[in-house]
Amino acid sequence: MPKRPTLQDVADAVGLAPATVSYALRGERGSDDTVARVHAAATALGYQINPIASALATGRSRTVAVLCGSTRDLWQQSLTADLARQLLSEGRHALVADADGHPEREEALLAKIRDQRPDGLLVAPLDPFASQWEALASQLPVVAIGDRLALAPSAGAVVFDNAAGFALVFDHLADLGHRRIAAVLPERPSTPDRPAERLVAREARRCGIVVDLVRTPPATADPATMTDHLAAALSGPDRPTAAFCLTDSFAFGMLRAARTLGLDVPGDLSVVGFEDVEFADLAGPGLSTVDWGRGAVVDAAVGQLLAAIDDDQPLRTVTIAPRLVVRGSSGPAPSPS
């Protein structure tokens, strides 16, 4: 079998010390000309960095763990993919884990992630109050998306201006003449960064709207079960004329429920989501929703995590502003019969 090229072979080819070649290959030291010469020689020889040896030498694995609440949720599915792509473009490997909507599974996965010793963690937490966050954030940089980790003040966060988002939705529905809406919220309790019930109550008072709170099974539930659950909320003589859904996955479920009941969207029922997933414009008449700028979320989360890993920069909280995207699923309230 042919001999596998070594670091010494690359060093001999460019006439530099092995340590200098190693730094250049990792992009840590060396002029642009030196780095280019070293990479060209490594490519010509077919040399590849040994990731285990590199991790031992630098104390860095160049791996970042990405833990999501549930990839069955459409926005988290896209977010996880975008985080992995961004990390790859920065020369990092993503170790992706999925809690599938179960906090106890999230806890078990965190223990396994610690054993893998990644350089950092990006997480969309199911339970931001869990006790393990404090210990984990003391061992490696952690950036949470959606919620701050209450017991880990050293962790960074990318959170959403939910108060502004709720105000945009309620103003939109009130301007269209809706006076009774269903607010479709997850079964899990609200958190300080996502105080859904409080914001719904505040905006309902401000706009003079009656709200029916609808607690919905998570995205991991059987679609038929979710459809039946939401259809029940639309039945009866005094049904709401609009539905505000806290995720686009819920909104798509509401569109299915309306179809099951023979309700026209938006003639009989307006539906508004809260994420603007990639194909929201393809669902039925096109889903009105709130865009959180997933690209900005990814840039903020990955950017500050890598700055903490590479340059020991302090982590911080970044707040993302919303934008209402109006499409065909929301329209004027139907006239009273």
Side-chain angles (χ1 to χ4, degrees):
M1 293 181 63
K3 176 187 173 185
R4 181 176 178 176
T6 66
L7 185 69
Q8 185 64 59
D9 294 331
V10 180
D12 292 342
V14 294
L16 296 172
T20 303
V21 170
S22 178
Y23 285 129
L25 287 172
R26 296 198 302 266
E28 295 180 1
R29 295 185 198 171
S31 66
D32 291 343
D33 178 66
T34 297
V35 171
R37 285 172 54 215
V38 168
H39 277 275
T43 300
L45 292 168
Y47 173 78
Q48 293 182 327
I49 296 175
N50 184 319
I52 297 175
S54 177
L56 290 172
T58 63
R60 302 276 173 81
S61 65
R62 301 194 71 79
T63 297
V64 171
V66 179
L67 176 57
C68 68
S70 174
T71 55
R72 298 198 215 189
D73 178 87
L74 297 171
W75 196 84
Q76 287 204 25
Q77 184 182 109
S78 298
L79 174 68
T80 301
D82 286 352
L83 289 171
R85 290 191 196 99
Q86 183 76 358
L87 289 167
L88 183 61
S89 73
E90 298 283 353
R92 314 296 166 120
H93 305 288
L95 174 66
V96 176
D98 179 10
D100 200 32
H102 301 291
E104 63 277 10
R105 181 171 177 177
E106 179 179 72
E107 183 175 0
L109 286 170
L110 284 173
K112 293 183 178 181
I113 287 171
R114 283 197 300 270
D115 293 340
Q116 295 290 327
R117 302 184 66 181
D119 295 335
L121 170 66
L122 296 166
V123 58
L126 290 173
D127 182 5
F129 297 99
S131 58
Q132 68 264 29
W133 296 120
E134 183 177 15
L136 189 66
S138 69
Q139 297 170 9
L140 76 164
V142 177
V143 174
I145 298 172
D147 281 297
R148 281 168 283 212
L149 301 176
L151 301 180
S154 63
V158 179
V159 299
F160 309 116
D161 187 349
N162 282 285
F166 276 58
L168 287 172
V169 171
F170 272 80
D171 282 342
H172 174 59
L173 293 176
D175 290 345
L176 290 171
H178 295 280
R179 292 296 174 262
R180 188 182 196 99
I181 72 169
V184 184
L185 309 180
E187 291 176 336
R188 291 197 312 272
S190 292
T191 63
D193 286 306
R194 304 193 215 193
E197 297 95 335
R198 181 171 61 81
L199 292 176
V200 164
R202 187 183 75 181
E203 294 304 315
R205 287 194 302 271
R206 183 177 67 84
C207 296
I209 290 177
V210 176
V211 172
D212 299 331
L213 285 180
V214 181
R215 293 291 185 182
T216 304
T220 54
D222 173 66
T225 300
M226 179 181 288
T227 299
D228 291 344
H229 181 79
L230 294 174
L234 300 177
S235 302
D238 196 22
R239 66 170 181 81
T241 61
F244 167 40
C245 305
L246 206 58
T247 73
D248 282 359
S249 294
F250 290 170
F252 295 143
M254 185 60 79
L255 291 174
R256 286 195 300 269
R259 185 170 63 244
T260 299
L261 295 172
L263 298 176
D264 177 70
V265 176
D268 299 316
L269 179 75
S270 289
V271 179
V272 180
F274 206 58
E275 293 167 329
D276 198 26
V277 297
E278 289 178 355
F279 50 88
D281 57 335
L282 303 179
L287 180 65
S288 294
T289 185
V290 173
D291 177 21
W292 291 107
R294 199 170 64 243
V297 174
V298 170
D299 288 344
V302 173
Q304 68 163 314
L305 184 74
L306 296 187
I309 292 170
D310 294 337
D311 303 318
D312 203 26
Q313 293 292 316
L315 294 166
R316 65 194 189 282
T317 297
V318 177
T319 302
I320 303 295
R323 179 177 68 93
L324 180 66
V325 181
V326 178
R327 299 191 179 100
S329 69
S330 57
S335 301
S337 55

